[in-house]
Amino acid sequence: MSASQAFQPQSAESSVRPAMPAPSLRGLPSQGRRFGGAPSAALVFVLLLGGMVGYLVLQTTLQEQAFTLSGLREQNRVLTAREAYLEATLATQST
């Protein structure tokens, strides 16, 4: 092959490819029933609602226990003062 032949453009006939048959399209087998977004959204909603109710119950229980503890501390303070008064009264009467 000479240099003059290498740089010559090819004719239109030689660059045309033979026609290939068009590929046939076929359907894929069904993958079964696909769930939409509604069941997933409902599951997330139920889980969030359950978490919120659980958190509310926990906070209510903690507040109730704090209220009970506050009452017991007040009762302890009153009884400690009464004990000190009774001990002082006993000490004065026994002398």
Side-chain angles (χ1 to χ4, degrees):
M1 179 181 226
S2 68
S4 64
Q5 290 177 345
F7 293 111
Q8 290 182 355
Q10 296 179 351
S11 66
E13 293 175 7
S14 63
S15 65
V16 175
R17 294 184 181 163
M20 296 189 78
S24 62
L25 300 177
R26 60 183 170 88
L28 294 175
S30 175
Q31 295 180 357
R33 184 175 174 178
R34 296 191 62 182
F35 293 106
S40 299
L43 177 65
V44 169
F45 178 74
V46 167
L47 288 175
L48 285 174
L49 185 63
M52 291 173 64
V53 168
Y55 180 73
L56 180 64
V57 168
L58 177 66
Q59 287 298 320
T60 303
T61 304
L62 290 176
Q63 289 298 324
E64 182 180 328
Q65 289 176 357
F67 183 73
T68 303
L69 182 62
S70 175
L72 290 174
R73 284 182 178 163
E74 177 63 25
Q75 185 180 2
N76 186 29
R77 185 188 64 78
V78 169
L79 290 175
T80 303
R82 184 171 178 199
E83 178 186 19
Y85 170 75
L86 290 175
E87 284 178 354
T89 305
L90 183 62
T92 59
Q93 289 180 356
S94 62
T95 54

